[in-house]
Amino acid sequence: MVQTVWVSSPGSWALQESHCHRQGRKRSWRCRFVRTIIRHPCRRHAPKRSRKARMLRKIQICLCFCFVSGILYEISLLSSCVFSYLPMAQHYLTPEQVLNLGKSIIFLETTERLEPPPLVSCSVESAARIYQDRPIILFMRGLTNETALDLNTSYAAFSLLSSMKNVFIFPLQMETIFQETPLLQWYNQVVPEQEKNWVHVSSDASRLALIWKYGGIYMDTDVISIRPIPQESFLAAQKSRFSSNGIFGFPARHKFIWDCMENFVLKYNGNIWGNQGPFLMTRMLKTLCNLTDFQGTEDHSCQNISFLNPQRFYPIPYPAWSRYYQVWDKSPNFNHSYALHLWNFMNRNRKVVVAGSNTLAEKLYKTYCPTTYQDLIQNAKHQDVPGPEDIE
């Protein structure tokens, strides 16, 4: 005769003694996250347990309950469903712990600046609001483990972003990110000071390595999220037959991303802007798919990769990027879009959102990153207050 323990998750953990006697008993306890089956012999005529043995058994059950409760609590700290606990634990979590949760939304800052401008803050905040059950991670090149401790007291934007329960800010350590990828050898040989487009090239490489290792969605820091992206494996069409690398998503260890990293190294030319970015994505997609023109708002699909319509992220194409900073008689509804790319690379005149300007960008701020917008208004008020030197 055997005694059997069977468990379902979620469900009940039931311990059932085989019918050694006609009056066999059944005991049940609730439990989760355990998937195992245990069988062991049961004596046909088991002697009645002594009072001491029963007490010891109860103690063991209590200790087991406490142990399982502790494990569940640790899981809850990292669970994407209970980010309400994370502010207390944010400073103690490593990038790997957060990334291993899966389905992260990843942003990169490969310059040395430590004060995120409003557009970066808006991009991160909008993602945090749209994807409330997923970790939002901003990696910053200028950040170190030492400076990370003083962010909230030194930089207003960090205080704003870190107050969001699912936002994490970590140093960008490229050598660590490139480990166990084809990019490590390239990184060890390249000389950043001699690279014409190092800020962009290093970002192109980092986003590939992070998505390959951990999966999730990468977004540029000038992308404002307006609704969730339903696809898991996707590239964003900037126009027909041409892919962007400003936003894309894949599960971890996806072969397409590995092939992109290999081609990154094989065809590396840092002097050509975009050669390791959108041109890389486009030439690799063409090896798998026969790309055709988009006729309406439909998406294309090939080899289980969705090639999303330009309307999803680029309803305003890059030649017309300045329209985001203009006043519209009637604002577009962007019903076919998941996010909006504001083309900051094209913004060489450094147009910014001005409170009260009634531009399209200001309306987007109000709707999708209201905390950033309120901070923008407060900063404008402080700048308008004259200092002692301005008073005659």
Side-chain angles (χ1 to χ4, degrees), residues 109-114 139-145 147-148 151 155 158 170-172:
E109 176 57 75
T110 51
T111 70
E112 296 291 333
R113 68 184 176 189
L114 284 173
F139 285 99
M140 302 191 71
R141 178 65 176 167
L143 195 61
T144 66
N145 290 329
T147 56
L151 293 180
Y155 303 99
F158 279 107
F170 293 121
L172 177 61

Side-chain angles (χ1 to χ4, degrees), residues 24 79 130 177 187 383 385:
S79 171
I130 296 298
I177 291 173
Y187 180 72
Q383 291 174 2
V385 175

Side-chain angles (χ1 to χ4, degrees), residues 105-157:
I105 311 296
I106 297 173
F107 295 90
L108 295 173
E109 176 57 75
T110 51
T111 70
E112 296 291 333
R113 68 184 176 189
L114 284 173
E115 177 68 9
L119 182 54
V120 174
S121 177
C122 184
S123 297
V124 175
E125 180 188 346
S126 65
R129 291 179 179 274
I130 296 298
Y131 303 95
Q132 296 184 23
D133 61 339
R134 301 172 70 164
I136 313 300
I137 307 175
L138 173 61
F139 285 99
M140 302 191 71
R141 178 65 176 167
L143 195 61
T144 66
N145 290 329
E146 289 72 26
T147 56
L149 299 175
D150 299 321
L151 293 180
N152 290 341
T153 58
S154 303
Y155 303 99

Side-chain angles (χ1 to χ4, degrees), residues 6 16 24 28 75 83 90 99 106-107 138 162 196 222 244 250 273 289 340 366 368 377:
W6 70 92
Q16 180 176 353
S28 297
I75 292 173
F83 279 115
Q90 274 180 331
L99 287 164
I106 297 173
F107 295 90
L138 173 61
S162 62
K196 178 181 178 181
D222 56 351
S244 161
F250 285 90
W273 185 92
C289 312
L340 304 173
K366 285 182 178 180
Y368 301 107
I377 293 176

Side-chain angles (χ1 to χ4, degrees), residues 226-227 328 330-337 340 360 364 368:
I226 62 177
R227 58 178 56 90
W328 291 51
K330 183 180 179 180
S331 297
N333 54 35
F334 299 117
N335 285 338
H336 300 292
S337 301
L340 304 173
L360 177 58
L364 294 175
Y368 301 107

Side-chain angles (χ1 to χ4, degrees), residues 235 254-256 259 282-291 302-303 305:
L235 293 171
H254 197 284
K255 185 178 184 300
F256 178 81
D259 292 342
T282 301
R283 64 178 176 261
M284 294 306 297
L285 187 60
K286 285 182 177 179
T287 64
L288 299 178
C289 312
N290 179 25
L291 301 182
C302 174
Q303 301 288 326
I305 299 174

